[in-house]
Amino acid sequence: MSSSALDFDLMSPLPAIDLSEKHARAFVVVRYLGRPVGAAWLPAADIRDGGESLRETLAEAGGRALRLARLEDRIGWRPVSPLDRPASPATVGVCTRDRPEDLRRCLEALRRMPDDGQEVLVVDSASSSDEVERVAKSVPGVRYLREERPGLDRARNRVLREARRPIVAFTDDDAAPEPLWLRALARNFEDRLVLAATGLVLPLDLATDAQEWRERLSSFARGFERKIFEAARMSPAAAGHVGAGVSMALRKDAADRVGPFDEALDAGTRTRSGGDTEMFARILAAGYRIVYDPEAVSRHRHAPGWDEARATFFGYGVGAYAAWTRLLLFEHETTVLGHAAAWFFKHQLPALVRSLLRVPGSAPADLLWAELRGCAAGPFAYFRARAENGR
């Protein structure tokens, strides 16, 4: 039984939704005047019944973020620039490899953004055919570059070197940013201490069980309130809480200030992920700020297959421990040990026990085992990836 992904704006009439019988529930994003303020998993029957009871349920899901949005609307004050104003000039970097259809959808989404003078740069991370190149070159205004060695962090570093704007936003090829995504990210750099910004990432669709469990267990979303992160209030080892590389922006000179992305980390290498989190950790450790802005909305296509989901969770485990290995041994961030212990004893182990006891609603055990196996492999994968990069 699959789910459906829906959006409702509380300031608009609730539309009639004809959910298919195959949908047992829906993941509903709640908006207020277009601004996302909450989300909830709701039974399909509640959606079909609609009416005031649904509106009340959605308002409850909005919670504090909804109350804050209403207050700001009432008094006419916002902590950041409104999104109806042009943003500072920015480059959008799309790193891609062998996913031409995903890339096409991503570039089509970027074309729906207002023209604020941005440039779009596609870096092909050693694709095995010329399909990605043909897709990129078919879209007006897109600049195409190719890296001969695979590696997401290698491609990100190429974007930073080649960008012609002072702000550089990154999106993965399997994501589809909403039209105001870039403006929402870029406005946060008015604060000179901000070196990075991240945004809200929601699922593009939830047609399969694998996609639903991916969203439930390891969502890219970090809430519906704007947050400012700095090392004085959080350990750099907890940098995974600030957002995800699928929706992030950096100042172009970030590599000069804190060093480039570590090319032994993330997709295309043995470590599979973790490059974004490790960069966020170094930014915080250097005394800069990172802003999470939930009005920078992007949609991510979660892989639909169960084997793909299992591989994803394995990869997240590898990447997390690979990044922590670097932080511990080369950045001397000893708080990594405490965070690793807390993650295992407070989250991973209890989740696995509930699953093995078949507690209703518990996560599938094979996904949890995959993540744990990845954690165990992470440090070894990092050292092998470093060696392959000649370090």
Side-chain angles (χ1 to χ4, degrees):
M1 193 71 76
S2 64
S3 301
S4 180
L6 303 172
D7 268 48
F8 287 126
D9 195 315
L10 291 171
M11 295 303 286
S12 301
L14 296 183
I17 302 294
D18 184 20
L19 281 178
S20 163
E21 291 297 327
K22 70 179 182 180
H23 292 133
R25 54 197 159 263
F27 177 78
V28 180
V29 176
V30 185
R31 296 182 186 248
Y32 176 81
L33 295 173
R35 172 180 174 178
V37 293
W41 293 89
L42 299 179
D46 290 0
I47 305 294
R48 295 190 188 98
D49 292 345
E52 283 307 307
S53 63
L54 175 59
R55 186 177 289 278
E56 291 172 4
T57 301
L58 297 176
E60 184 176 346
R64 176 186 152 94
L66 174 59
R67 293 193 295 274
L68 184 62
R70 283 173 167 163
L71 176 63
E72 291 177 358
D73 182 43
R74 188 168 300 137
I75 65 177
W77 175 84
R78 296 294 300 276
V80 286
S81 300
L83 294 178
D84 58 358
R85 297 180 187 173
S88 300
T91 295
V92 179
V94 186
C95 304
T96 184
R97 187 186 186 201
D98 285 329
R99 296 196 292 206
E101 291 309 311
D102 281 338
L103 177 63
R104 188 187 307 280
R105 181 179 55 247
C106 179
L107 295 178
E108 288 173 353
L110 295 178
R111 292 198 70 193
R112 291 192 283 271
M113 295 190 305
D115 183 1
D116 292 338
Q118 67 270 18
E119 68 165 349
V120 177
L121 185 57
V122 171
V123 174
D124 183 346
S125 185
S127 290
S128 59
S129 75
D130 65 352
E131 287 186 79
V132 160
E133 180 178 1
R134 285 192 281 110
V135 169
K137 291 184 175 178
S138 71
V139 179
V142 170
R143 190 153 57 103
Y144 171 85
L145 298 167
R146 178 178 170 86
E147 279 288 320
E148 296 302 332
R149 292 184 63 185
L152 179 53
D153 271 6
R154 183 183 301 277
R156 286 167 171 160
N157 284 334
R158 181 75 181 276
V159 172
L160 286 176
R161 290 195 302 272
E162 299 281 352
R164 297 168 177 167
R165 306 289 189 271
I167 305 299
V168 183
F170 291 87
T171 176
D172 290 352
D173 56 2
D174 55 356
E178 294 192 356
L180 296 178
W181 168 78
L182 184 59
R183 278 189 181 180
L185 286 177
R187 65 182 177 177
N188 294 290
F189 291 90
E190 293 171 4
D191 179 346
R192 297 177 66 181
L193 283 179
V194 171
L195 197 57
T198 61
L200 171 65
V201 183
L202 299 167
L204 185 65
D205 57 53
L206 295 168
T208 69
D209 288 345
Q211 290 173 318
E212 181 174 328
W213 278 111
R214 165 68 180 74
E215 182 61 26
R216 286 181 180 273
L217 296 179
S218 191
S219 173
F220 286 135
R222 300 293 187 267
F224 294 88
E225 293 184 50
R226 184 173 180 267
K227 303 171 186 173
I228 300 174
F229 297 94
E230 51 192 358
R233 291 184 287 181
M234 72 176 292
S235 163
H241 295 294
V242 310
V246 61
S247 175
M248 68 175 175
L250 305 175
R251 292 191 190 273
K252 175 175 165 53
D253 64 356
D256 298 329
R257 300 194 196 193
V258 300
F261 286 97
D262 185 339
E263 296 181 358
L265 291 170
D266 228 305
T269 72
R270 294 180 183 276
T271 57
R272 299 175 178 239
S273 66
D276 48 358
T277 301
E278 190 276 329
M279 172 59 98
F280 294 150
R282 272 188 284 135
I283 288 172
L284 292 173
Y288 295 103
R289 294 172 180 160
I290 301 174
V291 178
Y292 170 73
D293 192 328
E295 291 189 75
V297 183
S298 185
R299 301 275 181 170
H300 181 260
R301 181 189 67 80
H302 299 340
W306 197 261
D307 289 344
E308 294 169 300
R310 194 182 299 114
T312 295
F313 280 87
F314 177 78
Y316 287 164
V318 175
Y321 269 68
W324 276 342
T325 298
R326 173 190 161 123
L327 289 173
L328 176 64
L329 299 182
F330 300 101
E331 306 295 333
H332 311 297
E333 186 57 60
T334 56
T335 61
V336 161
L337 300 173
H339 284 281
W343 188 25
F344 178 73
F345 288 109
K346 293 184 178 179
H347 301 286
Q348 292 176 307
L349 183 60
L352 185 60
V353 170
R354 286 195 297 273
S355 181
L356 295 176
L357 294 177
R358 301 182 184 278
V359 175
S362 57
D366 63 332
L367 298 184
L368 302 176
W369 278 119
E371 184 180 78
L372 287 169
R373 287 190 293 104
C375 292
F380 305 100
Y382 180 63
F383 286 117
R384 293 185 70 182
R386 280 179 64 92
E388 289 168 353
N389 275 279
R391 297 167 62 187

